[in-house]
Amino acid sequence: MPTQRAHGGAQLFNVPLTAPGFRGLNTQVSATLMPPDWATVLNNAVVDRFGRVASRKGFDSFQLPEVSLTLEDDPGGHLLQEDGSSKITLRDDTTGIPGGVVQTFEYLKGDGTTEQITTSPTKIYSGTDDPTSNEITGVTFTAGNWQFMNFNDLCIGVQQGYTAISYNGSGNFGSITSTPSGTTPQGNCGTAAFGRLWLADADKQTIKYSGLLDHDDFGSEGAENAGSIDMTSVWPAGMDEIVNIVEHNGRLVVFGKHQIIFWSDSSSSLKDLGLNPLALEVVDTVRGVGLISRDCVQNVKGDLWFLSEHGVVSLGRLVQEKSAPMTTISTNVQDILVNFIRATSAADITNYRTVFSPRDRFFLLSMPAAEATFCFDTGVLLEDGTARTSIWDMTPTALAYTRAHGIVLNGKSDTGLAGHIGTYDGYVDGTSSYVFDYESGWLAMGEADSYLKMLKRISVLVATGGISTIKVKWGFDFDSSLSFSTQEYETAEALNEWGVMEWGLGEWAGGQKLKDFNIPANGTGQYIKLGVSVNIYGSAFGVQKLDLISKVGRLAA
């Protein structure tokens, strides 16, 4: 066991934790010994592109007018640059959307421009900075849980029990009337693919498809016209219901609650126009796994990730390993995630939201009733196919990835901003701070595991852009009560390779600086865990390295 002598006294033992927690959160084995690359608490965090646990970004509202900070607002200098300018932009409060935000969507127009569509429980609005001044409802409803889709220069909306609606970029939304015959679907889900609308009807068993490039034809017949698919005799494992319809890899994928059906076109007669509905056939099925909520499936880097009752699942891997035991993306947090699902009512599950951000390299699952959002890193999966995971206290009821703004979402209800939409940006939740929190597992230290350790100090190397107070935590021998020490620190001089080069190109832009400092610690035990907690308010924060320095005592009993 490598040690040093401290002036002839007991041996000193140094345990370096480089990029601690970079494998993400693991709650499955949190009561056992773990290597330092796992975390047992990882809140309001991401794993950055360099493998470090770092603070997530915040919520930057479109609706709050900007108010710059001055030295009088911040006499301690915590949020000001060296020249006295503000590191962040705080904003004054406004009303936001009455009733709160239910959905938001980016309407892509034929001329290449975009328009943000946002719903409340009874209204539909357009725009970002002041959506309440641009209401485009046009129809009557008592729930705003619409699913929107882009189709042939139109924005189409569907919701259970309501006739599908459309909007052409001017005026208001209006109900779609099927012409020259037929009835417009009134189901909860659908997709625009292969030149048609494929919409579930109110019975959750019928898929109605429109005429080719014709959003208001659900009654004509023929290969280029409208028709329907009856799913009642198709489900391979007993009766189910349509939860969502998705196009994937040239196939129409129909998600039930407990099974998945893949439809494809066996002919080539209409390949130049898209899939021929008259030649559709079932080409594959998956039993025992389905989608629990309509808005919980996303295209992730050419794969489909979706939320089942078993956790977050990769469709590609599920089909490939159909006969093997199922491995979920969320395996490392499986129990806590599944318990949240089981504790949530069916009505509240319909409010789950997901989004994939290629810009931020993660898949978010927001569970408002559980007051938790799971962040799954999509940059590089772990060797077993699972994703590095963290949990956030930001739980939006509306999520969308947009070309214009990246992630668009609504604010946190406890900050009074549930009626606001904005972007995932900055390091303030509207006008409120949030807490980054990391804890290691009970550290496995090789042959030192057999000895008692007398903790002397903890060395911490962090990167941030401002003055802050850091809380360093430690505990012994599986006792959940942790000791801690707090220290206010000021960043050291900017280092070029952090402030200008690699740290100036991405999420750490703005002159982030390194600080290495020592925290006195005490206590004796056989097994140790460490943690770091910081209040985030205007500056990013990341943990580069931790060092645990202790004296090695006798063999543990």
Side-chain angles (χ1 to χ4, degrees), residues 459-489:
S459 178
V460 185
L461 179 64
V462 301
T464 188
I467 305 170
S468 187
T469 299
I470 187 171
K471 177 190 286 187
V472 177
K473 302 176 284 185
W474 64 92
F476 296 94
D477 298 337
F478 303 95
D479 187 343
S480 59
S481 60
L482 303 182
S483 301
F484 66 89
S485 176
T486 59
Q487 180 173 331
E488 186 173 275
Y489 68 94

Side-chain angles (χ1 to χ4, degrees), residues 210-250:
S210 71
L212 195 63
L213 300 179
D214 193 347
H215 75 287
D216 58 4
D217 176 10
F218 288 94
S220 61
E221 300 290 339
E224 296 186 22
N225 298 317
S228 63
I229 302 169
D230 184 358
M231 292 291 297
T232 56
S233 60
V234 178
W235 303 113
M239 188 58 66
D240 208 329
E241 63 182 56
I242 301 169
V243 180
N244 207 343
I245 306 166
V246 182
E247 184 279 325
H248 182 61
N249 288 343

Side-chain angles (χ1 to χ4, degrees), residues 402-460:
T402 68
R403 297 181 183 181
H405 306 288
I407 293 178
V408 172
L409 67 164
N410 68 308
K412 294 164 60 177
S413 59
D414 62 0
T415 64
L417 300 179
H420 291 237
I421 58 170
T423 60
Y424 172 72
D425 199 11
Y427 292 93
V428 179
D429 277 346
T431 59
S432 301
S433 63
Y434 53 96
V435 177
F436 164 89
D437 198 10
Y438 154 78
E439 290 180 13
S440 72
W442 296 102
L443 296 170
M445 303 182 189
E447 59 184 287
D449 284 342
S450 302
Y451 295 83
L452 292 177
K453 271 77 69 177
M454 294 165 281
L455 190 58
K456 294 301 179 183
R457 67 180 185 273
I458 300 169
S459 178
V460 185

Side-chain angles (χ1 to χ4, degrees), residues 115-449:
E115 184 176 341
Q116 197 68 31
I117 307 295
T118 302
T119 71
S120 74
T122 59
K123 304 291 183 182
I124 305 176
Y125 302 96
S126 170
T128 54
D129 293 345
D130 189 14
T132 54
S133 67
N134 193 17
E135 183 192 331
I136 56 172
T137 307
V139 292
T140 301
F141 54 88
T142 58
N145 196 15
W146 294 93
Q147 180 190 32
F148 294 107
M149 61 202 78
N150 291 297
F151 177 72
N152 198 23
D153 204 20
L154 298 171
C155 179
I156 307 294
V158 295
Q159 182 177 190
Q160 185 67 27
Y162 294 93
T163 300
I165 59 178
S166 66
Y167 171 67
N168 64 7
S170 64
N172 298 325
F173 273 89
S175 297
I176 298 173
T177 300
S178 183
T179 305
S181 62
T183 58
T184 305
Q186 295 186 343
N188 192 47
C189 63
T191 190
F194 313 114
R196 304 175 188 271
L197 293 174
W198 306 79
L199 308 182
D201 212 349
D203 63 357
K204 301 183 181 180
Q205 299 298 325
T206 304
I207 299 173
K208 288 189 172 183
Y209 54 86
S210 71
L212 195 63
L213 300 179
D214 193 347
H215 75 287
D216 58 4
D217 176 10
F218 288 94
S220 61
E221 300 290 339
E224 296 186 22
N225 298 317
S228 63
I229 302 169
D230 184 358
M231 292 291 297
T232 56
S233 60
V234 178
W235 303 113
M239 188 58 66
D240 208 329
E241 63 182 56
I242 301 169
V243 180
N244 207 343
I245 306 166
V246 182
E247 184 279 325
H248 182 61
N249 288 343
R251 296 177 174 182
L252 199 67
V253 183
V254 180
F255 284 91
K257 285 191 173 182
H258 307 290
Q259 47 205 308
I260 307 169
I261 311 296
F262 298 81
W263 293 89
S264 187
D265 177 356
S266 60
S267 76
S268 59
S269 60
L270 285 182
K271 288 299 184 182
D272 56 331
L273 299 176
L275 184 147
N276 179 0
L278 299 185
L280 279 178
E281 62 181 15
V282 175
V283 295
D284 204 351
T285 63
V286 175
R287 307 183 186 198
V289 183
L291 179 67
I292 69 168
S293 185
R294 181 193 68 189
D295 297 332
C296 291
V297 56
Q298 297 290 331
N299 191 315
V300 177
K301 299 167 65 174
D303 191 6
L304 288 180
W305 286 17
F306 65 96
L307 181 64
S308 75
E309 61 185 356
H310 309 284
V312 178
V313 180
S314 156
L315 183 65
R317 183 165 182 174
L318 179 65
V319 172
Q320 181 181 6
E321 302 177 353
K322 189 182 300 185
S323 61
M326 182 175 63
T327 300
T328 66
I329 295 292
S330 56
T331 293
N332 300 319
V333 291
Q334 194 73 357
D335 288 350
I336 187 173
L337 175 57
V338 171
N339 286 340
F340 281 159
I341 294 172
R342 292 173 179 171
T344 304
S345 69
D348 285 335
I349 285 177
T350 64
N351 295 322
Y352 286 1
R353 303 287 185 260
T354 57
V355 70
F356 166 60
S357 171
R359 180 183 303 179
D360 301 292
R361 307 177 311 280
F362 56 55
F363 170 94
L364 294 183
L365 164 62
S366 176
M367 310 170 78
E371 299 182 346
T373 289
F374 286 81
C375 175
F376 299 96
D377 183 88
T378 63
V380 178
L381 297 182
L382 300 176
E383 60 274 7
D384 61 355
T386 60
R388 297 181 290 188
T389 308
S390 59
I391 298 179
W392 300 359
D393 64 7
M394 175 194 290
T395 54
T397 57
L399 274 172
Y401 184 79
T402 68
R403 297 181 183 181
H405 306 288
I407 293 178
V408 172
L409 67 164
N410 68 308
K412 294 164 60 177
S413 59
D414 62 0
T415 64
L417 300 179
H420 291 237
I421 58 170
T423 60
Y424 172 72
D425 199 11
Y427 292 93
V428 179
D429 277 346
T431 59
S432 301
S433 63
Y434 53 96
V435 177
F436 164 89
D437 198 10
Y438 154 78
E439 290 180 13
S440 72
W442 296 102
L443 296 170
M445 303 182 189
E447 59 184 287
D449 284 342

